[in-house]
Amino acid sequence: NNKAIRKLLHVAVSDVNDDVRRAAVMGLGFLLFKQPDHCPGVVQLLSESYNPHVRYGAAMALGIACSGTGNKEALGLIEPMKNDPVNYVRQGALIASAMILVQQTEVTCSKVKDFRSLYTKVINDKHEDVMAKFGAILAQGIIDAGGRNVTVSLQSRTGHTNMLGVVGMLVFTQYWYWFPLSHFLSLAFQPTAIIGLNKDLEMPVIQFKSNAKPSTYGYPAPLEEKKEEDKEKVATAILSITNKQKKKEAERKKKDDDKMEVDEKKDEEKKEEEEKKEEKKEEPSSEMLSNPARVVKQQLKVVQMEEAKYRTVKDLNIGGIIILDNLTGEKEQIVEPMLVNKGEKEEEEGTEPEPPQPFMYTED
Protein backbone atom coordinates (compact mmCIF):
# COMPACT_ATOMS: atom_id res chain seq x y z
CA ASN A 1 0.00 0.00 0.00
CA ASN A 2 1.85 3.09 -1.26
CA LYS A 3 -0.34 5.48 0.73
CA ALA A 4 0.51 3.72 4.02
CA ILE A 5 4.23 3.65 3.16
CA ARG A 6 4.20 7.40 2.38
CA LYS A 7 2.49 8.14 5.70
CA LEU A 8 4.96 6.04 7.70
CA LEU A 9 7.93 7.67 5.94
CA HIS A 10 6.49 11.12 6.73
CA VAL A 11 6.09 10.23 10.43
CA ALA A 12 9.58 8.66 10.52
CA VAL A 13 11.25 11.94 9.51
CA SER A 14 8.92 14.56 11.03
CA ASP A 15 7.62 13.34 14.42
CA VAL A 16 9.17 14.83 17.55
CA ASN A 17 8.95 11.61 19.61
CA ASP A 18 11.75 9.06 19.11
CA ASP A 19 9.50 6.11 20.05
CA VAL A 20 6.98 7.09 17.37
CA ARG A 21 9.70 7.50 14.73
CA ARG A 22 11.21 4.11 15.60
CA ALA A 23 7.81 2.38 15.43
CA ALA A 24 6.99 4.06 12.09
CA VAL A 25 10.20 2.77 10.48
CA MET A 26 9.65 -0.75 11.86
CA GLY A 27 6.12 -0.62 10.46
CA LEU A 28 7.63 -0.48 6.94
CA GLY A 29 8.92 -4.02 7.48
CA PHE A 30 5.39 -5.29 8.21
CA LEU A 31 4.05 -3.62 5.05
CA LEU A 32 6.76 -4.99 2.77
CA PHE A 33 7.23 -8.58 3.99
CA LYS A 34 5.51 -9.89 0.81
CA GLN A 35 7.89 -7.81 -1.33
CA PRO A 36 11.21 -8.18 0.49
CA ASP A 37 13.28 -6.93 -2.47
CA HIS A 38 11.62 -3.48 -2.21
CA CYS A 39 12.43 -2.94 1.48
CA PRO A 40 16.19 -2.10 1.17
CA GLY A 41 15.39 0.68 -1.34
CA VAL A 42 12.71 2.22 0.91
CA VAL A 43 14.81 2.04 4.09
CA GLN A 44 18.24 2.91 2.64
CA LEU A 45 18.28 6.63 3.57
CA LEU A 46 16.71 5.96 6.98
CA SER A 47 19.52 3.50 7.82
CA GLU A 48 21.96 6.45 7.54
CA SER A 49 19.87 8.80 9.71
CA TYR A 50 21.51 10.91 12.44
CA ASN A 51 18.85 9.64 14.87
CA PRO A 52 19.87 6.27 16.41
CA HIS A 53 16.20 5.32 16.99
CA VAL A 54 15.53 5.62 13.26
CA ARG A 55 18.67 3.57 12.45
CA TYR A 56 17.52 0.85 14.86
CA GLY A 57 14.03 0.87 13.29
CA ALA A 58 15.56 0.57 9.81
CA ALA A 59 17.58 -2.48 10.87
CA MET A 60 14.53 -4.18 12.38
CA ALA A 61 12.39 -3.34 9.32
CA LEU A 62 14.96 -5.08 7.11
CA GLY A 63 14.96 -8.10 9.43
CA ILE A 64 11.15 -8.34 9.45
CA ALA A 65 10.64 -7.87 5.69
CA CYS A 66 13.62 -9.94 4.47
CA SER A 67 13.50 -12.72 7.09
CA GLY A 68 14.83 -16.03 5.79
CA THR A 69 15.71 -14.63 2.34
CA GLY A 70 19.46 -13.98 2.73
CA ASN A 71 18.90 -10.67 0.85
CA LYS A 72 22.36 -9.26 0.02
CA GLU A 73 21.16 -5.64 -0.25
CA ALA A 74 19.58 -5.83 3.21
CA LEU A 75 22.75 -7.30 4.69
CA GLY A 76 24.77 -4.57 2.97
CA LEU A 77 22.72 -1.92 4.82
CA ILE A 78 22.97 -3.77 8.14
CA GLU A 79 26.75 -4.32 8.01
CA PRO A 80 27.75 -0.70 8.86
CA MET A 81 25.31 -0.76 11.80
CA LYS A 82 27.07 -3.69 13.50
CA ASN A 83 29.87 -1.19 14.36
CA ASP A 84 27.50 1.65 15.28
CA PRO A 85 28.59 3.77 18.29
CA VAL A 86 25.12 3.40 19.89
CA ASN A 87 24.61 0.09 21.72
CA TYR A 88 20.94 -0.52 20.87
CA VAL A 89 21.57 0.08 17.15
CA ARG A 90 24.21 -2.68 17.26
CA GLN A 91 21.66 -4.84 19.09
CA GLY A 92 19.06 -4.29 16.35
CA ALA A 93 21.62 -4.98 13.60
CA LEU A 94 22.61 -8.32 15.17
CA ILE A 95 18.98 -9.47 15.63
CA ALA A 96 17.95 -8.35 12.11
CA SER A 97 20.93 -10.06 10.47
CA ALA A 98 20.03 -13.36 12.17
CA MET A 99 16.42 -13.11 10.95
CA ILE A 100 17.65 -12.56 7.37
CA LEU A 101 20.26 -15.35 7.53
CA VAL A 102 18.13 -18.04 9.18
CA GLN A 103 18.60 -21.36 7.32
CA GLN A 104 21.15 -19.84 4.93
CA THR A 105 24.38 -21.72 4.18
CA GLU A 106 27.75 -20.49 2.94
CA VAL A 107 26.76 -21.67 -0.55
CA THR A 108 23.52 -19.67 -0.69
CA CYS A 109 24.90 -16.62 1.21
CA SER A 110 28.64 -16.11 1.72
CA LYS A 111 28.20 -13.70 4.66
CA VAL A 112 26.76 -16.34 7.01
CA LYS A 113 30.17 -17.37 8.33
CA ASP A 114 31.20 -13.77 9.13
CA PHE A 115 27.99 -13.00 11.02
CA ARG A 116 28.13 -16.28 12.96
CA SER A 117 31.67 -15.50 14.11
CA LEU A 118 30.54 -11.96 15.00
CA TYR A 119 27.80 -13.30 17.32
CA THR A 120 30.32 -15.54 19.09
CA LYS A 121 32.82 -12.67 19.40
CA VAL A 122 30.27 -10.25 20.89
CA ILE A 123 28.96 -12.87 23.36
CA ASN A 124 32.47 -13.76 24.59
CA ASP A 125 33.85 -10.19 24.65
CA LYS A 126 34.02 -9.06 28.29
CA HIS A 127 34.26 -5.38 27.27
CA GLU A 128 31.18 -5.43 25.02
CA ASP A 129 28.06 -3.54 26.09
CA VAL A 130 25.27 -5.56 27.77
CA MET A 131 22.63 -4.46 25.24
CA ALA A 132 24.76 -5.56 22.29
CA LYS A 133 25.46 -8.86 24.07
CA PHE A 134 21.73 -9.43 24.54
CA GLY A 135 21.27 -8.82 20.81
CA ALA A 136 24.04 -11.31 19.95
CA ILE A 137 22.54 -13.97 22.25
CA LEU A 138 19.11 -13.52 20.63
CA ALA A 139 20.73 -13.57 17.17
CA GLN A 140 22.54 -16.83 17.96
CA GLY A 141 19.23 -18.36 19.04
CA ILE A 142 17.29 -17.09 16.00
CA ILE A 143 19.80 -18.26 13.37
CA ASP A 144 19.82 -21.78 14.91
CA ALA A 145 16.13 -21.78 15.90
CA GLY A 146 14.27 -25.06 16.22
CA GLY A 147 17.40 -27.14 15.79
CA ARG A 148 17.94 -25.32 12.44
CA ASN A 149 14.68 -26.83 11.19
CA VAL A 150 12.50 -23.68 11.17
CA THR A 151 12.50 -20.36 9.35
CA VAL A 152 11.03 -16.95 10.23
CA SER A 153 8.01 -16.20 8.05
CA LEU A 154 4.98 -13.90 8.27
CA GLN A 155 3.11 -15.67 5.48
CA SER A 156 1.75 -19.16 4.96
CA ARG A 157 3.23 -21.66 2.52
CA THR A 158 0.69 -20.60 -0.11
CA GLY A 159 1.54 -16.88 0.27
CA HIS A 160 -1.33 -15.74 2.51
CA THR A 161 -0.71 -13.57 5.57
CA ASN A 162 -0.08 -15.65 8.67
CA MET A 163 -1.78 -13.50 11.31
CA LEU A 164 -0.37 -15.56 14.19
CA GLY A 165 3.16 -14.96 12.88
CA VAL A 166 2.53 -11.23 12.34
CA VAL A 167 1.19 -10.79 15.88
CA GLY A 168 4.11 -12.81 17.29
CA MET A 169 6.62 -10.62 15.43
CA LEU A 170 4.84 -7.43 16.53
CA VAL A 171 4.88 -8.44 20.20
CA PHE A 172 8.53 -9.55 19.83
CA THR A 173 9.54 -6.02 18.79
CA GLN A 174 8.16 -4.78 22.13
CA TYR A 175 11.05 -6.49 23.98
CA TRP A 176 12.44 -2.94 23.83
CA TYR A 177 10.20 -2.17 26.83
CA TRP A 178 10.12 -5.62 28.50
CA PHE A 179 12.64 -8.25 27.42
CA PRO A 180 10.54 -11.41 28.21
CA LEU A 181 8.35 -10.47 25.21
CA SER A 182 11.19 -11.70 22.98
CA HIS A 183 9.77 -15.24 23.38
CA PHE A 184 6.81 -14.27 21.16
CA LEU A 185 9.05 -14.55 18.09
CA SER A 186 8.44 -18.31 18.26
CA LEU A 187 4.94 -17.64 16.85
CA ALA A 188 6.60 -16.52 13.59
CA PHE A 189 8.70 -19.69 13.28
CA GLN A 190 7.61 -22.01 10.47
CA PRO A 191 8.85 -25.64 10.22
CA THR A 192 10.65 -26.39 6.95
CA ALA A 193 9.91 -29.99 6.04
CA ILE A 194 8.09 -32.29 3.67
CA ILE A 195 6.01 -34.90 5.47
CA GLY A 196 4.25 -37.38 3.19
CA LEU A 197 1.08 -39.00 4.62
CA ASN A 198 -1.24 -41.65 3.20
CA LYS A 199 -5.05 -41.79 3.49
CA ASP A 200 -4.74 -43.15 7.06
CA LEU A 201 -2.43 -40.24 8.00
CA GLU A 202 0.54 -42.59 8.35
CA MET A 203 3.99 -41.95 6.88
CA PRO A 204 4.84 -44.42 4.08
CA VAL A 205 8.48 -45.21 3.28
CA ILE A 206 9.29 -43.09 0.21
CA GLN A 207 12.12 -40.88 -0.98
CA PHE A 208 12.23 -37.41 -2.51
CA LYS A 209 14.99 -36.32 -4.90
CA SER A 210 16.71 -32.98 -4.29
CA ASN A 211 18.40 -31.77 -7.51
CA ALA A 212 21.08 -29.80 -5.65
CA LYS A 213 24.37 -30.62 -3.97
CA PRO A 214 23.95 -31.74 -0.32
CA SER A 215 26.10 -28.84 0.94
CA THR A 216 23.85 -26.23 -0.74
CA TYR A 217 20.97 -26.65 1.70
CA GLY A 218 22.47 -28.96 4.35
CA TYR A 219 22.92 -28.33 8.05
CA PRO A 220 25.76 -25.92 8.91
CA ALA A 221 28.70 -27.27 10.89
CA PRO A 222 27.97 -27.56 14.65
CA LEU A 223 29.43 -24.97 16.99
CA GLU A 224 32.83 -25.90 18.39
CA GLU A 225 33.66 -25.26 22.01
CA LYS A 226 37.16 -23.93 22.56
CA LYS A 227 39.18 -25.90 25.08
CA GLU A 228 40.59 -23.95 27.96
CA GLU A 229 44.29 -23.33 27.53
CA ASP A 230 46.61 -24.26 30.38
CA LYS A 231 47.79 -21.29 32.38
CA GLU A 232 51.47 -20.42 31.95
CA LYS A 233 53.65 -21.59 34.81
CA VAL A 234 55.96 -19.10 36.50
CA ALA A 235 59.58 -19.61 35.43
CA THR A 236 61.80 -21.03 38.18
CA ALA A 237 65.44 -20.06 38.78
CA ILE A 238 67.94 -22.17 36.75
CA LEU A 239 71.56 -22.78 37.81
CA SER A 240 74.49 -22.38 35.38
CA ILE A 241 75.51 -26.08 35.80
CA THR A 242 72.11 -27.30 34.59
CA ASN A 243 72.40 -25.05 31.52
CA LYS A 244 75.68 -26.73 30.54
CA GLN A 245 74.14 -30.19 30.91
CA LYS A 246 71.15 -29.15 28.80
CA LYS A 247 73.46 -27.91 26.02
CA LYS A 248 75.28 -31.28 25.91
CA GLU A 249 71.94 -33.14 25.75
CA ALA A 250 70.69 -30.81 23.00
CA GLU A 251 73.79 -31.54 20.87
CA ARG A 252 73.23 -35.30 21.21
CA LYS A 253 69.56 -34.94 20.26
CA LYS A 254 70.45 -32.90 17.15
CA LYS A 255 72.47 -35.81 15.73
CA ASP A 256 69.54 -38.21 16.27
CA ASP A 257 67.00 -35.71 14.91
CA ASP A 258 68.87 -35.27 11.61
CA LYS A 259 68.41 -38.98 10.90
CA MET A 260 64.71 -38.85 11.81
CA GLU A 261 63.92 -35.75 9.71
CA VAL A 262 64.37 -37.59 6.40
CA ASP A 263 61.81 -40.28 7.37
CA GLU A 264 59.36 -37.68 8.75
CA LYS A 265 59.44 -35.65 5.53
CA LYS A 266 58.52 -38.74 3.53
CA ASP A 267 55.59 -39.48 5.86
CA GLU A 268 54.34 -35.88 5.60
CA GLU A 269 54.47 -35.98 1.81
CA LYS A 270 52.41 -39.19 1.79
CA LYS A 271 49.80 -37.64 4.10
CA GLU A 272 49.51 -34.54 1.89
CA GLU A 273 48.97 -36.72 -1.19
CA GLU A 274 46.20 -38.67 0.61
CA GLU A 275 44.49 -35.45 1.72
CA LYS A 276 44.56 -34.09 -1.84
CA LYS A 277 42.95 -37.28 -3.12
CA GLU A 278 40.14 -36.95 -0.57
CA GLU A 279 39.54 -33.33 -1.58
CA LYS A 280 39.34 -34.29 -5.25
CA LYS A 281 36.30 -36.49 -4.61
CA GLU A 282 33.43 -34.66 -6.28
CA GLU A 283 30.27 -33.91 -4.32
CA PRO A 284 27.16 -35.53 -5.86
CA SER A 285 24.91 -33.16 -7.82
CA SER A 286 21.76 -34.49 -6.12
CA GLU A 287 20.64 -36.40 -3.02
CA MET A 288 17.76 -38.62 -1.94
CA LEU A 289 15.73 -37.50 1.09
CA SER A 290 13.75 -40.00 3.17
CA ASN A 291 10.23 -39.26 4.36
CA PRO A 292 9.89 -37.14 6.54
CA ALA A 293 12.56 -34.80 5.14
CA ARG A 294 14.06 -31.46 6.14
CA VAL A 295 13.57 -29.22 3.09
CA VAL A 296 14.29 -25.48 3.40
CA LYS A 297 12.21 -22.90 1.50
CA GLN A 298 14.69 -22.31 -1.32
CA GLN A 299 15.15 -26.08 -1.75
CA LEU A 300 11.45 -26.67 -2.53
CA LYS A 301 12.08 -25.50 -6.11
CA VAL A 302 14.48 -28.39 -6.79
CA VAL A 303 12.65 -31.23 -4.96
CA GLN A 304 10.66 -33.85 -6.84
CA MET A 305 9.09 -37.25 -6.18
CA GLU A 306 10.23 -39.98 -8.56
CA GLU A 307 8.18 -42.93 -7.28
CA ALA A 308 5.33 -43.77 -9.68
CA LYS A 309 3.46 -45.61 -6.91
CA TYR A 310 2.20 -42.33 -5.38
CA ARG A 311 0.63 -39.12 -6.61
CA THR A 312 0.62 -35.96 -4.51
CA VAL A 313 -2.80 -34.40 -3.82
CA LYS A 314 -1.26 -30.89 -3.73
CA ASP A 315 1.90 -29.51 -5.33
CA LEU A 316 5.06 -30.90 -3.71
CA ASN A 317 6.77 -27.49 -4.02
CA ILE A 318 4.40 -26.01 -1.42
CA GLY A 319 6.05 -28.18 1.25
CA GLY A 320 4.70 -29.06 4.68
CA ILE A 321 2.29 -31.97 5.03
CA ILE A 322 1.65 -33.62 1.66
CA ILE A 323 -1.15 -36.19 1.25
CA LEU A 324 -0.08 -39.07 -1.02
CA ASP A 325 -2.52 -41.04 -3.16
CA ASN A 326 -1.52 -44.70 -3.60
CA LEU A 327 -2.25 -45.37 -7.29
CA THR A 328 -1.33 -49.08 -7.29
CA GLY A 329 -3.22 -50.14 -4.15
CA GLU A 330 -0.21 -52.19 -3.02
CA LYS A 331 0.52 -52.70 0.66
CA GLU A 332 2.55 -49.82 2.06
CA GLN A 333 5.60 -49.96 4.28
CA ILE A 334 5.14 -47.49 7.14
CA VAL A 335 7.98 -45.49 8.72
CA GLU A 336 8.76 -46.92 12.14
CA PRO A 337 8.81 -44.45 15.03
CA MET A 338 12.26 -43.74 16.44
CA LEU A 339 13.02 -44.72 20.00
CA VAL A 340 14.24 -41.81 22.07
CA ASN A 341 17.32 -42.69 24.08
CA LYS A 342 16.72 -41.21 27.55
CA GLY A 343 20.07 -42.38 28.89
CA GLU A 344 21.77 -45.54 30.05
CA LYS A 345 19.71 -46.00 33.20
CA GLU A 346 16.02 -45.29 33.39
CA GLU A 347 14.76 -44.78 36.90
CA GLU A 348 11.43 -46.38 37.73
CA GLU A 349 8.93 -43.66 38.53
CA GLY A 350 6.70 -45.99 40.50
CA THR A 351 2.99 -45.52 41.13
CA GLU A 352 1.36 -42.10 41.15
CA PRO A 353 0.89 -40.80 44.71
CA GLU A 354 -2.70 -40.37 45.91
CA PRO A 355 -4.13 -36.85 46.26
CA PRO A 356 -4.28 -35.41 49.81
CA GLN A 357 -7.40 -35.88 51.93
CA PRO A 358 -9.93 -33.01 52.00
CA PHE A 359 -9.24 -30.45 54.71
CA MET A 360 -10.46 -27.07 55.96
CA TYR A 361 -8.09 -24.10 55.71
CA THR A 362 -8.26 -21.64 58.62
CA GLU A 363 -6.28 -18.45 59.16
CA ASP A 364 -4.78 -18.40 62.67
Side-chain angles (χ1 to χ4, degrees):
N1 192 328
N2 291 333
K3 191 177 178 182
I5 291 170
R6 264 192 247 108
K7 192 163 187 176
L8 285 176
L9 286 171
H10 175 70
V11 173
V13 296
S14 62
D15 202 275
V16 294
N17 190 303
D18 286 332
D19 289 345
V20 174
R21 295 177 74 173
R22 186 180 67 248
V25 182
M26 280 196 286
L28 293 168
F30 286 98
L31 286 176
L32 295 167
F33 73 85
K34 287 189 179 179
Q35 300 168 311
D37 294 336
H38 294 181
C39 191
V42 175
V43 176
Q44 185 175 7
L45 292 173
L46 296 171
S47 67
E48 298 168 5
S49 171
Y50 71 92
N51 189 321
H53 290 267
V54 174
R55 295 201 299 275
Y56 169 88
M60 292 300 288
L62 289 166
I64 293 163
C66 305
S67 55
T69 61
N71 190 300
K72 290 178 182 177
E73 286 181 46
L75 290 171
L77 294 175
I78 284 172
E79 266 192 291
M81 286 190 261
K82 68 186 185 186
N83 299 318
D84 199 276
V86 182
N87 54 9
Y88 55 81
V89 177
R90 295 201 300 277
Q91 182 190 76
L94 291 166
I95 293 168
S97 64
M99 287 198 281
I100 295 168
L101 292 170
V102 65
Q103 285 201 333
Q104 297 293 319
T105 63
E106 288 181 45
V107 179
T108 56
C109 185
S110 57
K111 291 182 180 179
V112 172
K113 190 176 180 181
D114 298 332
F115 275 98
R116 279 186 178 275
S117 58
L118 175 66
Y119 305 150
T120 309
K121 182 191 166 191
V122 173
I123 291 167
N124 295 328
D125 189 356
K126 292 178 182 176
H127 306 290
E128 186 58 77
D129 188 85
V130 176
M131 288 188 80
K133 271 194 176 187
F134 178 66
I137 292 164
L138 277 181
Q140 188 80 72
I142 292 166
I143 203 168
D144 292 331
R148 301 171 179 178
N149 295 319
V150 299
T151 188
V152 179
S153 181
L154 302 187
Q155 52 188 329
S156 66
R157 298 180 193 279
T158 50
H160 296 91
T161 302
N162 176 17
M163 196 52 69
L164 189 68
V166 172
V167 171
M169 181 66 78
L170 178 65
V171 180
F172 164 73
T173 58
Q174 305 308 305
Y175 79 85
W176 176 278
Y177 302 104
W178 195 48
F179 73 89
L181 294 175
S182 57
H183 295 291
F184 275 82
L185 182 63
S186 59
L187 294 175
F189 289 154
Q190 189 180 85
T192 51
I194 289 180
I195 304 168
L197 300 178
N198 61 13
K199 63 178 182 179
D200 299 318
L201 301 182
E202 293 177 321
M203 287 189 292
V205 176
I206 56 166
Q207 288 190 321
F208 307 101
K209 186 181 180 182
S210 173
N211 295 308
K213 291 181 178 180
S215 62
T216 308
Y217 302 110
Y219 284 107
L223 294 171
E224 292 181 1
E225 289 185 11
K226 288 185 178 179
K227 292 179 180 178
E228 291 182 3
E229 295 178 359
D230 294 330
K231 293 178 181 179
E232 292 181 4
K233 292 179 181 179
V234 180
T236 52
I238 301 168
L239 298 172
S240 58
I241 298 165
T242 54
N243 280 333
K244 286 177 182 178
Q245 287 177 348
K246 283 180 180 178
K247 280 180 183 178
K248 286 178 183 179
E249 287 174 9
E251 285 172 5
R252 285 176 194 169
K253 282 182 181 178
K254 270 187 182 180
K255 291 175 184 178
D256 297 331
D257 290 342
D258 290 337
K259 294 175 184 177
M260 296 290 289
E261 275 179 9
V262 179
D263 297 328
E264 284 175 359
K265 282 180 182 178
K266 288 179 181 178
D267 293 335
E268 284 175 6
E269 286 173 3
K270 285 180 182 178
K271 283 180 181 178
E272 284 175 5
E273 286 176 7
E274 287 174 3
E275 285 174 2
K276 284 178 182 177
K277 285 178 183 177
E278 287 177 1
E279 286 174 3
K280 283 178 183 177
K281 288 180 182 178
E282 288 187 8
E283 191 180 5
S285 58
S286 63
E287 65 172 327
M288 299 305 291
L289 306 170
S290 300
N291 182 36
R294 173 193 185 259
V295 180
V296 300
K297 263 192 174 182
Q298 297 91 331
Q299 192 178 4
L300 289 168
K301 298 171 187 175
V302 296
V303 170
Q304 63 185 55
M305 191 172 70
E306 292 191 322
E307 290 190 34
K309 183 180 175 180
Y310 293 99
R311 177 178 62 86
T312 58
V313 174
K314 70 174 182 180
D315 190 4
L316 188 67
N317 296 335
I318 294 172
I321 295 171
I322 306 288
I323 299 297
L324 303 169
D325 187 12
N326 188 348
L327 300 174
T328 60
E330 295 175 10
K331 192 177 180 181
E332 298 171 323
Q333 187 181 351
I334 305 301
V335 176
E336 291 182 7
M338 290 179 67
L339 293 170
V340 179
N341 185 16
K342 295 181 180 178
E344 292 181 2
K345 293 181 181 179
E346 290 187 10
E347 294 180 4
E348 291 184 8
E349 292 181 1
T351 55
E352 187 75 22
E354 291 183 5
Q357 295 295 322
F359 62 92
M360 291 291 291
Y361 175 75
T362 56
E363 288 186 13
D364 295 330

